Amino acid sequence: MQAVHNIAEICARHGITDVVLSPGSRCAPLTIAFARHPEIKVRTVPDERAAAFIGLGLAQAQKRAVALVCTSGTAGLNYAPAVAEAYFQQIPLVVFTADRPPEWIDQLDGQTIRQADLYGAHAKGSFQFPADTSHPDALWHSARLVSEAIGLAEQFPAGPVQVNVPLREPFYPKPGEELQFTAVKVAREVPGRPQLPEPVRRELQNALRSTTRVLVVAGQHPADTDLLLALRRFAAVWQVPVVGDVIANLHLPAAPDYDQRLRPLGRHDVFLAVPEPGLKEALKPELLITFGQSLISKALKLYLRNAKPAQHWHIQPSGAVADTFQSLTKVLRVEPVDFFTAMMAEEPAPTAPTAGVPGMLVAPPDATRVAPALHPVGPARLTWPAPGGQLTEAEAQTKAAYLKPWLAAENWASRFLPDFLAQPNPPFNEFLAIYQALQGLPDGTALHLANSMAVRYANILGLPAGRTVEVFANRGTSGIDGCTSTAVGAALAQPHRPVVLLTGDVAFFYDRNAFWHNYPVPNLRVILLNNHAGGIFRLIDGPRQQPELEEFFETRQPLTAANTARDFNLRYLTAGTFTKLESVLPVFFAPEHGATLLEITTDSKTNAAFFEQYRAAVRTSFS
């Protein structure tokens, strides 16, 4: 078993510190090796589906690979939803599936399936560990194979890999026998960073200069302060609107002296619902620049597919690129921060780094004045204020003419939403309840948004301005199956940071086994929207018009979360009125109260009626 025990040492040498395993007999050699390794923290989660999503949450929060370990048979199949999510969200997971030796596959032996390449196209790679490692070459091969698997998982674009480990009995060391973690040679990947060749950089700058209507759209992206700074300066220099869903994390303050005028646009889900042909025409880009992964906003996706820009540049260092808007013309193989920085290469020298933020460069004061303003004060300067800028005064004014309708639409939506939500005596509904809850998010929160309506509501409503709230969501596959487990993994990874999950009832009850383990998560707060149905089907055209709606689409259920909270020792709060919600939110967010579940109970029909009222107001209020 030495080669198998060495797997733990190889993982540790590659910087893997966390392993999530589910108990089983066939995987015992792996379990014991990881459990006895002094540099690895092992957590046991009985349900493999929940375990894999908890591992995904750990990897997502720590920004490094996490290992999963399971026994043979269908155990590994239960990892599949999280593996697929990790693949499309580009999160590194190293999945060790214990297996029968190859000669016993398809021989009617117990707990045996065909495990080689178990995840198919939804894993970056599949590796078959040697069944016998007695020969020195086989020992070398086994160590090399595990190093290659970890390197592939972490290589951009990151993702999951499988290492299938066939094991023969005996699985367990003798009583008192100590494991030896022998010195093993590992091969580490040293990441490179591609740069734009100088002729290409100038060509792209010339295209930016000569194109009047340039739009930047950000897909899902982790929080990145360097990228935020570069993107906001780029937008100011080139007079370009920058649009991003809440999961793009563009809303985050880029520095302690954060200027609200530099805030990118995030109200597109509101103003793109306006049936105003003139507005849609005014927003059409000639050049679309994108980076990041998926979008939540269906309105934005459909608009850009219909707008058909003449050019579409997508920024991505490597890997397959999706043509989401059916207009892709150029793939730029660089990091987004490097692209936006390169496009300002001729700008004047930046000022000295700001105190307290090492290495942060700040644009000259006048440069920030050209940035988008939610509530502009006085005329905005339209040019970079020193020699060597990219735009002439005339070019800047032309580009500002395209920026203006984007800012006007954003400003209208920013005023419309609070005015609409402030209407007197509204019925208790989840749209308003979520808005009230989001306003109370503590600074520094990691906000996890479950799929279905929770993530859509948050994208429409937005987050409190100027607050540092990083947003996560399983939008790789957009499933409901592991949203709670992912948030639990994040809470385990960051015990000193508030982690808040906003979820619906179907997603929550589907993933209750997220709490079935022995590890406290006192920093976790769960906001459960329980309308006793799959409420999204009452809000979208198609199912809501069908007579089968309630039984076959909404899947109505009578459950409350009180028993779940009791079973897993969660503090339990409820709210069914705005007054009650206002009174419990401070208690809910208070850090000293430990893991807490707040169940907000609403009526599905009332929610649908209020949301339809909101949509009608959007259609009629724009001017």
Side-chain angles (χ1 to χ4, degrees), residues 209-210 390-400:
R209 185 178 296 109
S210 61
Q390 283 82 353
L391 300 177
T392 65
E393 185 74 24
E395 288 170 337
Q397 289 181 0
T398 301
K399 288 184 180 293

Side-chain angles (χ1 to χ4, degrees), residues 440-453:
L441 289 172
D443 204 44
T445 292
L447 175 63
H448 282 250
L449 300 171
N451 284 310
S452 199
M453 283 309 297

Side-chain angles (χ1 to χ4, degrees), residues 268-277 279-280 412 618-623:
H268 46 281
D269 248 355
V270 181
F271 62 75
L272 286 177
V274 172
E276 175 57 57
L279 174 65
K280 302 290 176 61
W412 170 80
V618 170
R619 291 192 294 267
T620 58
S621 300
F622 182 80
S623 61

Side-chain angles (χ1 to χ4, degrees), residues 247 296 447-459 471-475 478-487 500-508 511 526-529 536:
I247 57 174
I296 301 169
L447 175 63
H448 282 250
L449 300 171
N451 284 310
S452 199
M453 283 309 297
V455 70
R456 290 174 170 84
Y457 281 142
N459 201 49
V471 180
F472 302 86
N474 284 351
R475 297 303 292 179
S478 302
I480 64 165
D481 39 4
C483 301
T484 306
S485 294
T486 305
V500 176
L501 169 66
L502 178 63
T503 184
D505 49 355
V506 178
F508 176 82
D511 194 22
V526 179
I527 302 172
L528 167 59
L529 308 166
I536 188 172

Side-chain angles (χ1 to χ4, degrees), residues 532-554:
H532 298 289
I536 188 172
F537 293 106
R538 214 171 262 281
L539 303 178
I540 57 178
D541 287 330
R544 66 175 177 160
Q545 287 90 4
Q546 307 308 314
E548 295 85 0
L549 171 66
E550 290 195 10
E551 182 176 358
F552 297 105
F553 291 94
E554 278 198 323

Side-chain angles (χ1 to χ4, degrees), residues 413-453:
S414 297
R415 292 189 296 268
F416 163 79
L417 266 175
D419 289 348
F420 172 79
L421 296 174
Q423 60 182 272
N425 302 316
F428 189 65
N429 65 86
E430 60 190 16
F431 192 55
L432 261 172
I434 292 170
Y435 179 75
Q436 195 170 337
L438 291 176
Q439 301 310 301
L441 289 172
D443 204 44
T445 292
L447 175 63
H448 282 250
L449 300 171
N451 284 310
S452 199
M453 283 309 297

Side-chain angles (χ1 to χ4, degrees), residues 196-543:
L196 290 173
E198 184 61 18
V200 173
R201 182 187 69 78
R202 292 186 178 277
E203 175 191 336
L204 296 175
Q205 280 189 319
N206 288 335
L208 278 173
R209 185 178 296 109
S210 61
T211 305
T212 302
R213 295 165 164 251
V214 181
L215 173 67
V216 175
V217 172
Q220 183 171 20
H221 199 280
D224 184 334
T225 300
D226 291 338
L227 174 59
L228 291 177
L229 288 167
L231 186 57
R232 289 170 189 180
R233 296 189 71 204
F234 171 88
V237 170
W238 291 98
Q239 291 288 280
V240 170
V242 177
V243 178
D245 287 332
V246 68
I247 57 174
N249 284 300
L250 301 185
H251 58 275
L252 287 163
D257 57 348
Y258 177 64
D259 188 337
Q260 285 296 318
R261 294 171 300 175
L262 300 180
R263 188 180 177 92
L265 312 183
R267 300 293 190 187
H268 46 281
D269 248 355
V270 181
F271 62 75
L272 286 177
V274 172
E276 175 57 57
L279 174 65
K280 302 290 176 61
E281 185 63 31
L283 301 181
K284 284 179 67 172
E286 296 168 349
L287 167 59
L288 172 66
I289 302 174
T290 60
F291 67 93
Q293 299 171 49
S294 63
L295 296 176
I296 301 169
S297 175
K298 186 175 181 180
L300 181 58
K301 279 190 283 193
L302 292 178
Y303 175 70
L304 291 174
R305 286 172 188 169
N306 291 326
K308 287 288 187 292
Q311 298 184 72
H312 173 193
W313 304 349
H314 183 73
I315 309 164
Q316 184 175 305
S318 63
V321 172
D323 189 6
T324 305
F325 311 113
Q326 302 176 313
S327 57
L328 188 65
T329 57
K330 201 182 297 289
V331 177
L332 305 176
R333 293 299 190 184
V334 291
E335 292 286 348
V337 64
D338 293 338
F339 168 79
F340 293 115
T341 301
M343 292 302 99
M344 297 181 290
E346 295 178 355
E347 68 180 351
T351 62
T354 299
V357 189
M360 191 193 82
L361 301 179
V362 179
D366 282 350
T368 64
R369 294 174 60 86
V370 305
L374 292 179
H375 300 288
V377 179
R381 292 180 61 117
L382 300 178
T383 58
W384 189 255
Q390 283 82 353
L391 300 177
T392 65
E393 185 74 24
E395 288 170 337
Q397 289 181 0
T398 301
K399 288 184 180 293
Y402 176 61
L403 178 61
K404 183 177 179 180
W406 281 98
L407 295 181
E410 178 83 2
N411 291 337
W412 170 80
S414 297
R415 292 189 296 268
F416 163 79
L417 266 175
D419 289 348
F420 172 79
L421 296 174
Q423 60 182 272
N425 302 316
F428 189 65
N429 65 86
E430 60 190 16
F431 192 55
L432 261 172
I434 292 170
Y435 179 75
Q436 195 170 337
L438 291 176
Q439 301 310 301
L441 289 172
D443 204 44
T445 292
L447 175 63
H448 282 250
L449 300 171
N451 284 310
S452 199
M453 283 309 297
V455 70
R456 290 174 170 84
Y457 281 142
N459 201 49
I460 292 169
L461 294 167
L463 299 175
R467 205 167 302 174
T468 304
V469 175
E470 189 175 1
V471 180
F472 302 86
N474 284 351
R475 297 303 292 179
T477 60
S478 302
I480 64 165
D481 39 4
C483 301
T484 306
S485 294
T486 305
V488 168
L492 289 169
Q494 303 168 310
H496 303 296
R497 182 184 193 184
V499 175
V500 176
L501 169 66
L502 178 63
T503 184
D505 49 355
V506 178
F508 176 82
F509 292 120
Y510 194 88
D511 194 22
R512 276 183 292 192
N513 278 355
F515 304 108
W516 186 26
H517 53 77
N518 300 318
Y519 308 103
V521 280
N523 55 325
L524 179 66
R525 301 292 183 272
V526 179
I527 302 172
L528 167 59
L529 308 166
N530 192 352
N531 55 43
H532 298 289
I536 188 172
F537 293 106
R538 214 171 262 281
L539 303 178
I540 57 178
D541 287 330

